[in-house]
Amino acid sequence: MTASLSARHLPPTPFLAVDAAIVERNLTGMADSAAARGLSLRPHAKTHKVVELAQRQIGLGAVGLTVATLGEAEVFAVSGVKDIFIAYPLWADEGKGARLRVLTENITLTVGIDTEEGARQLAATTAGAPVAVLVEVDSGHHRSGIAPADAGVLARAAADAGLDVRGVFTFPGHGYGPGNRGSAAEDEAQALAVAVKSLAEAGLAAEVVSGGSTPTAAAADASVLTEVRPGVYLFNDAQQLEMGTCGWGDIALWAVATAVSRSGQHVILDSGSKTLGADRPAWATGGGRLLDHPDARITALSEHHATVEFPAGAALPGLGELVRVVPNHVCAAVNLADELVVMVDGAVADTWRVAARGRNS
């Protein structure tokens, strides 16, 4: 068992644990960084899905939250968050339109749009409710988002349909990869600048110019952007580690697993894909990393098995020993857990319920 974990009073493995002190340091670090550059911080709560953490982010000066789904917005609205951006091009059918209207009774609500059809549908099903929108532009990730030069046409169509167009946003997701962070941040700024100009040509002002992921937040161009929306930063994960966004000491969440089998330099842990998630980018060196064994690699993940290869001659954990495993993508891992076990000085201090878990619609 690692020196920083005590087997006494711990839940059965596998479970997700967070170090409260590192979480707090990560939260304050990002808040201070954004404030120092004159940027608003609107953290993406899909990472943690925890009410207590959302409230702490607001307490540290966040202007509101970003979420991915209507269901997540409902959870955090009930918890008292008053300003929420659904950074997703919702197709607002009658049912979702009704839910959006209810939300606007208690919070300031903004929704992403990237097609004229989607904008008109949103306007029709939320008619009479104060729903604001941001036009999503593609800055290089090539997922959703309109071409930056076309943002004004879409914004004008949305405004003519009765929506309150507040600005533009993008997700520089192509920054996820070793060596990509700086160029993705540059792409983000260029795309948003073009989009702002396009809105102006359509007679609309961009009050909000929103971007920034965890990998690119530090390089976000404050001369163009008004706000950033990082999510992973409060926990970090193996992807951020291997990209160089964070160091080992910045990782605040891990799975606590038990070594259940071993052969040669291979060890099997009980934290499989149903604990860690299955994300593995092509550039990642494995299915996650071991916090106390940095040279080990997770070579395979099954539902309940993590196969770990240790270098020749390395000391292996003994059977029954506890091991701390850092998931590749912390957002996916958290969405698989009912609660997070809060650790202070290696001992259990609290639990946080993953309140927005599974709220995918």
Side-chain angles (χ1 to χ4, degrees), residues 4 13-14 25 49 62 111 132 143-144 164 166 169 174 181 205 220 228 237 285 287 304 313 337 351 357:
S4 57
T13 63
R25 188 173 73 238
K49 304 181 189 294
V111 178
R143 190 173 63 182
S144 52
D164 175 17
R166 299 190 62 224
F169 80 105
H174 56 307
R181 291 179 290 154
V228 289
D237 54 23
T285 64
H304 301 287
T351 58
R357 177 192 179 191

Side-chain angles (χ1 to χ4, degrees), residues 124-169:
T125 58
T126 63
V131 177
V133 295
L134 297 183
V135 174
E136 182 177 11
V137 299
D138 178 9
S139 57
H141 187 44
H142 306 319
R143 190 173 63 182
S144 52
I146 197 168
D150 296 332
V153 173
L154 173 54
R156 171 48 58 195
D160 290 346
L163 295 171
D164 175 17
V165 181
R166 299 190 62 224
V168 295
F169 80 105

Side-chain angles (χ1 to χ4, degrees), residues 95-145:
K96 288 184 176 177
R99 292 163 66 191
L100 290 166
R101 293 196 302 272
V102 170
L103 277 174
T104 64
E105 295 173 3
N106 298 297
I107 69 168
T108 298
L109 179 67
T110 307
V111 178
I113 57 170
D114 74 346
T115 64
E116 292 186 30
E117 296 88 347
R120 287 193 290 268
Q121 178 74 10
L122 178 66
T125 58
T126 63
V131 177
V133 295
L134 297 183
V135 174
E136 182 177 11
V137 299
D138 178 9
S139 57
H141 187 44
H142 306 319
R143 190 173 63 182
S144 52

Side-chain angles (χ1 to χ4, degrees), residues 331-359:
C331 307
V334 169
N335 195 49
L336 295 168
D338 291 324
E339 64 182 19
L340 306 180
V341 176
V342 183
M343 310 289 286
V344 175
D345 296 327
V348 175
D350 199 357
T351 58
W352 291 328
R353 186 170 72 90
V354 185
R357 177 192 179 191
R359 295 298 300 268

Side-chain angles (χ1 to χ4, degrees), residues 49-71:
K49 304 181 189 294
V50 171
V51 167
E52 290 89 340
L53 290 169
Q55 292 171 339
R56 182 59 181 146
Q57 289 172 318
I58 299 296
L60 286 168
V63 296
L65 292 183
T66 305
V67 298
T69 71
L70 180 49

Side-chain angles (χ1 to χ4, degrees), residues 148 168 187-198 209 224:
V168 295
D187 292 344
E188 170 186 73
Q190 292 170 5
L192 288 172
V194 170
V196 169
K197 180 181 178 183
S198 182
V209 183
V224 177

